Amino acid sequence: MFSKDTVELKALGADITTREIAQQPDLWLDTLEIYVTNKEKIQAFLARAQKLGGEGITDVVFTGAGTSAYVGDTLVPYLRRTGDASAFDFKAIPTTDIVSAPYNFLRPERPCVLVSFARSGNSPESLAAVARARSVVDNILFLNITCAPDGKLAVQSEGAEDALTLLIPGANDQGFAMTGSYSCMELLSALIFDTADDAQKTAWVTQAARMGRLVVAREDEITSWLTDDFERITYLGSSSLGAMAREAQLKILELTAGKIATSFDTSMGYRHGPKSFVNNRTLVFVFVGNDPYTRQYDLDILHEIAGDNIALHTVAIQQHAETIFEGDAITFAEEELLPEAYVALPFIMVAQTISLFTSLKVGNTPDTPSPTGTVNRVVKGVTIHELEA
């Protein structure tokens, strides 16, 4: 797909999605530059955020809906280990939860930074979550990470003293499914809150971009497991990669319009019932983490499912380390094992590529996969009800 020309891709209804998947390595380098360019503003904002809590801790709440919510889910496990735990308590709460039950998820007395992820910035929940948080929390700041300078989220926050808006140019996906916007939002937030030094961050992003380009170059290998007759796909992983598995399965669900059954779970959690999903027409993909301790659990579930011989294929998505899965695998032989927030970038690109090809396999057009139009790129039909004080 990545080698086809525009005419061929348009005929397949896949021009936009294919291009947006393939361009991500360049976007990650652009995102690094956005971080560097805005470093002074970011540092000033973080200093204000720390002071919100006085001598206590400030909540950092990552929020969004759908894929934008899964950005926060992916980030939080990593930042709980690598962020400034003396100043911040990292949480992921979807906008849909904040809007529908704000007092269940936000505490008035807890100082808070609300980090809003938004592709268009026009989702009713994105705007309402900001309004609800502002009305519920006594001391709050807003960090908006969005792709649309003209979106309502960015426009309404312009000039606000309690808000910082960072834009990711070029990542405002025009296709149905979010791809580059997901990975760039995840990366920019990791760069902001990760306490590693900037030289190390630059090295990690540069390596992730190299690995992303390998995804494009190795599309035939990555999609070789899709030639067989399958009806189900499941994604597994641990920690941040376990959370990212939900985004991977959503891409299958969206781009096939539900024609392929999907599931996700953590590597350890899958045994507790969800493994019942696997049959002899199931593809199981496991994101193998790079933490030596956690990696063992990812390898365990790979060996278990492959040994049970219950799946059509059991495939590891992994970097080469001292211990790897020796069966079916997409293995990156890079020189350094990336931390999970950074290896998530090329790993999710693998999953996006699988979704693109699966969409075509079931006869869908990836750029416009919803045949009835009942599911939209920007959510419609949402009623925001008044909140009584």
Side-chain angles (χ1 to χ4, degrees):
M1 288 294 291
F2 297 125
S3 61
K4 293 183 184 296
D5 62 30
T6 301
V7 173
E8 292 176 288
L9 291 171
K10 284 185 176 179
L12 294 170
D15 173 48
I16 296 171
T17 306
T18 303
R19 171 169 40 84
E20 289 178 343
I21 293 172
Q23 72 179 358
Q24 287 174 99
D26 291 334
L27 290 180
W28 301 336
L29 295 174
D30 290 344
T31 300
L32 175 64
E33 183 60 31
I34 291 166
Y35 165 73
V36 171
T37 300
N38 290 279
K39 185 67 180 294
E40 187 174 334
K41 291 180 181 178
I42 291 168
Q43 288 181 319
F45 183 85
L46 293 179
R48 288 184 64 192
Q50 290 176 337
K51 292 178 182 177
L52 283 181
E55 297 299 319
I57 301 292
T58 297
D59 287 342
V60 176
V61 175
F62 297 107
T63 194
T67 290
S68 295
Y70 307 156
V71 176
D73 291 338
T74 305
L75 282 164
V76 165
Y78 176 73
L79 291 177
R80 283 186 174 274
R81 180 174 180 175
T82 65
D84 184 356
S86 67
F88 301 122
D89 184 11
F90 298 100
K91 304 176 180 180
I93 305 174
T95 54
T96 46
D97 285 341
I98 291 174
V99 172
S100 61
Y103 289 102
N104 289 6
F105 297 98
L106 300 174
R107 297 289 295 274
E109 72 280 7
R110 289 278 295 188
C112 178
V113 174
L114 190 75
V115 184
S116 293
F117 298 118
R119 172 168 63 169
S120 69
N122 293 322
S123 166
E125 296 98 330
S126 293
L127 302 171
V130 170
R132 294 292 174 266
R134 181 174 273 125
S135 67
V136 168
V137 181
D138 296 333
N139 294 308
I140 189 165
L141 292 173
F142 299 91
L143 175 58
N144 305 315
I145 298 179
T146 180
C147 305
D150 298 327
K152 292 178 181 178
L153 182 66
V155 171
Q156 291 182 7
S157 299
E158 188 174 357
E161 293 185 358
D162 60 359
L164 172 64
T165 297
L166 297 174
L167 299 171
I168 307 175
N172 188 18
D173 305 327
Q174 297 302 307
F176 179 86
M178 290 172 64
T179 53
S181 47
Y182 168 84
S183 62
C184 289
M185 288 173 187
E186 192 268 350
L187 173 58
L188 183 54
S189 301
L191 292 171
I192 290 169
F193 290 103
D194 193 339
T195 55
D197 64 56
D198 285 353
Q200 181 63 81
K201 292 175 184 176
T202 298
W204 287 336
V205 176
T206 302
Q207 181 175 328
R210 289 199 301 271
M211 292 170 66
R213 294 189 180 100
L214 286 174
V215 174
V216 173
R218 295 168 63 184
E219 71 169 84
D220 289 344
E221 175 191 350
I222 291 168
T223 59
S224 62
W225 292 283
L226 306 181
T227 58
D228 291 333
D229 185 21
F230 64 92
E231 63 181 14
R232 301 180 180 188
I233 291 180
T234 195
Y235 284 100
L236 305 175
S238 301
S239 189
S240 287
L241 301 182
M244 190 187 72
R246 187 173 189 180
E247 168 61 13
Q249 71 87 34
L250 178 63
K251 291 288 92 74
I252 292 288
L253 184 65
E254 290 178 324
L255 292 185
T256 69
K259 294 179 182 177
I260 296 294
T262 64
S263 73
F264 73 96
D265 212 307
T266 61
S267 295
M268 286 197 75
Y270 205 54
R271 297 181 180 88
H272 294 265
K275 187 180 170 186
S276 305
F277 179 81
V278 180
N279 63 16
N280 61 6
R281 295 180 66 190
T282 304
L283 303 179
V284 177
F285 294 97
V286 180
F287 299 114
V288 180
N290 286 333
D291 177 84
Y293 177 75
T294 304
R295 187 183 190 92
Q296 297 173 95
Y297 296 100
D298 300 324
L299 295 175
D300 285 349
I301 197 66
L302 279 161
H303 288 125
E304 179 177 315
I305 295 175
D308 288 343
N309 198 30
I310 55 175
L312 181 61
H313 293 291
T314 305
V315 184
I317 302 171
Q318 62 188 355
Q319 277 195 269
H320 198 282
E322 289 185 7
T323 54
I324 62 171
F325 183 62
E326 300 289 356
D328 290 342
I330 301 157
T331 305
F332 295 90
E334 279 284 329
E335 66 277 10
E336 181 180 357
L337 295 180
L338 290 177
E340 56 192 343
Y342 300 89
V343 79
L345 304 174
F347 279 11
I348 197 61
M349 201 170 157
V350 171
Q352 293 165 353
T353 301
I354 290 168
S355 298
L356 173 66
F357 278 78
T358 303
S359 179
L360 293 169
K361 184 181 178 73
V362 300
N364 263 23
T365 52
D367 293 347
T368 53
S370 180
T372 62
T374 55
V375 183
N376 301 284
R377 181 177 176 275
V378 179
V379 169
K380 300 177 181 179
V382 178
T383 299
I384 304 298
H385 299 280
E386 292 297 321
L387 177 68
E388 295 184 6

